[in-house]
Amino acid sequence: MARYTGPMTKKSRRLGVDLVGGDSSFEKRPYPPGAHGKGRIKESEYLLQMREKQKARFSYGVLEKQFRLYYEEANRVQGKTGDNLLQILESRLDNVVYRAGLARTRRQARQFVVHGHFLVNGRKVDIPSYRVSEHDIVDLAPKVLEQTPHVINRETHGEREVPAWLQVLPERGRVFVHSLPSRAQIAIDVQEQLIVELYSK
């Protein structure tokens, strides 16, 4: 599937939140890009809702059509629609690899998955949008374990905080999915209720 491949710092500045994590360029200029970036913008209800949707979309690297399908699925199942939506996004394989600290960014995690670097329950999966389930085991393929990017990520693994719903053995490149995350376990600066309001119109 196609995806946005442009500069993420520009998107971070437009939406007012660091979408990459540790983006020094955003920290230096945390205002919208362009000649009028420091000017005031009248914030309508629609603008606020749209901004929250875009934050979620670009954070997880999902295009509009797929994001809407996720919303429709979240709306069908029992529970809060916003919480369900974030849980669906968090359970994507590329996000699990990122959250487990086996990739520095979601873009790197996506690239690893597409190149077949990970196994789920012993089977190679090269689809970033693949959804993990409770009790799944994600492994780094033995043939890539000693590749430079993975060695670096292992050595710097302690710098990343791993959420409680995952257990990681970094030296083996293994991730245990204990459960799917609750809203309290999802660390993302998004007001999901505004996304629900936007799509409910």
Side-chain angles (χ1 to χ4, degrees):
M1 172 171 276
R3 66 193 187 284
Y4 175 75
T5 57
M8 287 301 290
T9 296
K10 185 178 284 188
K11 293 296 181 186
S12 295
R13 292 177 62 197
R14 172 62 57 199
L15 298 170
V17 63
D18 184 357
L19 298 171
V20 179
D23 187 344
S24 58
S25 298
F26 171 76
E27 291 170 5
K28 289 176 185 174
R29 296 180 293 176
Y31 49 85
H36 307 288
K38 292 186 178 180
R40 289 189 176 182
I41 299 174
K42 186 177 180 182
E43 297 194 337
S44 65
E45 181 184 21
Y46 177 76
L47 175 63
L48 294 173
Q49 293 168 347
M50 181 63 74
R51 183 181 293 161
E52 293 306 304
K53 185 198 74 170
Q54 297 295 65
K55 278 186 197 176
R57 272 194 53 221
F58 286 110
S59 290
Y60 291 99
V62 177
L63 291 184
E64 177 60 37
K65 183 177 179 181
Q66 190 174 21
F67 194 84
R68 177 173 276 279
L69 291 174
Y70 285 153
Y71 169 78
E72 290 171 357
E73 180 184 346
N75 196 35
R76 284 195 304 269
V77 298
Q78 196 172 11
K80 286 186 176 180
T81 301
D83 293 358
N84 293 340
L85 175 61
L86 291 182
Q87 187 181 81
I88 288 170
L89 291 165
E90 282 288 307
S91 64
R92 286 171 53 102
L93 180 58
D94 56 355
N95 181 75
V96 169
V97 170
Y98 167 70
R99 290 289 193 204
L102 301 183
R104 301 294 291 179
T105 64
R106 282 193 181 88
R107 280 189 170 183
Q108 187 183 53
R110 182 188 182 101
Q111 186 180 49
F112 287 161
V113 173
V114 168
H115 290 176
H117 289 198
F118 284 92
L119 314 174
V120 179
N121 301 326
R123 298 179 64 181
K124 185 175 87 169
V125 177
D126 56 8
I127 302 169
S129 61
Y130 175 89
R131 303 248 291 280
V132 301
S133 303
E134 193 173 359
H135 308 309
D136 275 354
I137 299 174
V138 179
D139 282 308
L140 192 59
K143 65 178 182 180
V144 301
L145 198 58
E146 297 307 319
Q147 287 187 3
T148 302
H150 296 299
V151 172
I152 292 171
N153 288 334
R154 267 202 309 277
E155 291 172 348
T156 58
H157 187 269
E159 300 171 10
R160 295 280 303 281
E161 185 177 343
V162 177
W165 56 284
L166 299 175
Q167 180 187 348
V168 184
L169 302 177
E171 67 283 353
R172 292 178 59 184
R174 170 165 283 192
V175 184
F176 297 96
V177 182
H178 288 307
S179 63
L180 294 182
S182 64
R183 177 61 183 99
Q185 294 174 311
I186 301 174
I188 185 170
D189 182 19
V190 167
Q191 298 179 57
E192 63 276 8
Q193 185 54 37
L194 293 179
I195 301 174
V196 175
E197 290 171 9
L198 176 67
Y199 280 122
S200 298
K201 290 179 178 178

